[in-house]
Amino acid sequence: GESVGLHLPTLSVQEGDNSIINCAYSNSASDYFIWYKQESGKGPQFIIDIRSNMDKRQGQRVTVLLNKTVKHLSLQIAATQPGDSAVYFCAEKKGNTGKLIFGQGTTLQVKP
Amino acid sequence: AAGVIQSPRHLIKEKRETATLKCYPIPRHDTVYWYQQGPGQDPQFLISFYEKMQSDKGSIPDRFSAQQFSDYHSELNMSSLELGDSALYFCASSPLGTGREAFFGQGTRLTVV
């Protein structure tokens, strides 16, 4: 079925280092992708999105890369901070009214 | 800025009881999504509405139903509750006509005892 999978369940990085969180998606028809950050007991928080007609998009300290050839998505966080510690999910969508499908989250742990 | 509002934040029900969860989307958002998230799990899509019509359906049990009202708020009705229904239930909304940038509420934690 439709699924979005993440390669690593937990990523541990040192404060100040860059983090890269990966995601593999299976539906080649998906045309929109979002990265979410979820802290314990809270709702997923929108970080950054990218449409399928792009291969890179930058935000503040974050960059999303999309490789449609291998159906791979990544989130890069520059100068990782303790406040970045959370579970990160990628999600994919097809069309304006399509459902948003989440992949398995990656827990990011930032060591001071 | 206004966010997605969900109520109640916490709910405790007994088995076989009924629960109603409410979601108030961000103003001028016309698409609402409902998700269920178990402990340590990714959010599972339940159902979505676009312009008050059901737009998509996921793994929503027949015991659950939902609707979107004329003011765009949505309600998730859950009947014959089971212990396995205990989870976080999130609602998200997307802006007019785009279906993009889904923003989530803080969720309702449902505990079935």
Side-chain angles (χ1 to χ4, degrees), chain A residues 6 8-12 21 85-88 104-109:
Chain A
L6 296 176
L8 295 173
T10 302
L11 177 65
S12 186
I21 300 173
S85 295
V87 178
Y88 289 81
Q104 183 183 9
T106 291
T107 300
L108 177 64
Q109 297 174 339

Side-chain angles (χ1 to χ4, degrees), chain A residues 31-34 36 38 41-46 49 51 89 93-105, chain B residues 9 31 33 35 37 41-43 45 48 50 55-58 88 90 97-106 109:
Chain A
D31 58 3
Y32 180 62
F33 306 87
I34 306 178
Y36 286 95
Q38 187 176 27
K42 295 185 178 180
Q45 177 188 353
F46 178 94
D49 59 353
R51 301 187 183 192
F89 293 97
K93 193 173 193 293
K94 176 188 170 186
N96 284 350
T97 58
K99 55 191 174 186
L100 192 65
I101 301 298
F102 282 80
Q104 183 183 9
Chain B
R9 291 295 311 276
T31 303
Y33 307 84
Y35 288 83
Q37 186 177 30
Q41 303 295 314
D42 57 280
F45 173 75
S48 62
Y50 170 67
S55 56
D56 216 330
K57 195 171 183 180
L88 272 168
F90 290 106
T98 67
R100 311 293 187 185
E101 300 170 303
F103 295 97
F104 281 75
Q106 291 300 298
R109 181 174 293 280

Side-chain angles (χ1 to χ4, degrees), chain A residues 4-22:
Chain A
V4 180
L6 296 176
H7 297 310
L8 295 173
T10 302
L11 177 65
S12 186
V13 300
Q14 204 69 39
E15 181 180 358
D17 286 352
N18 296 333
S19 302
I20 299 176
I21 300 173
N22 295 305

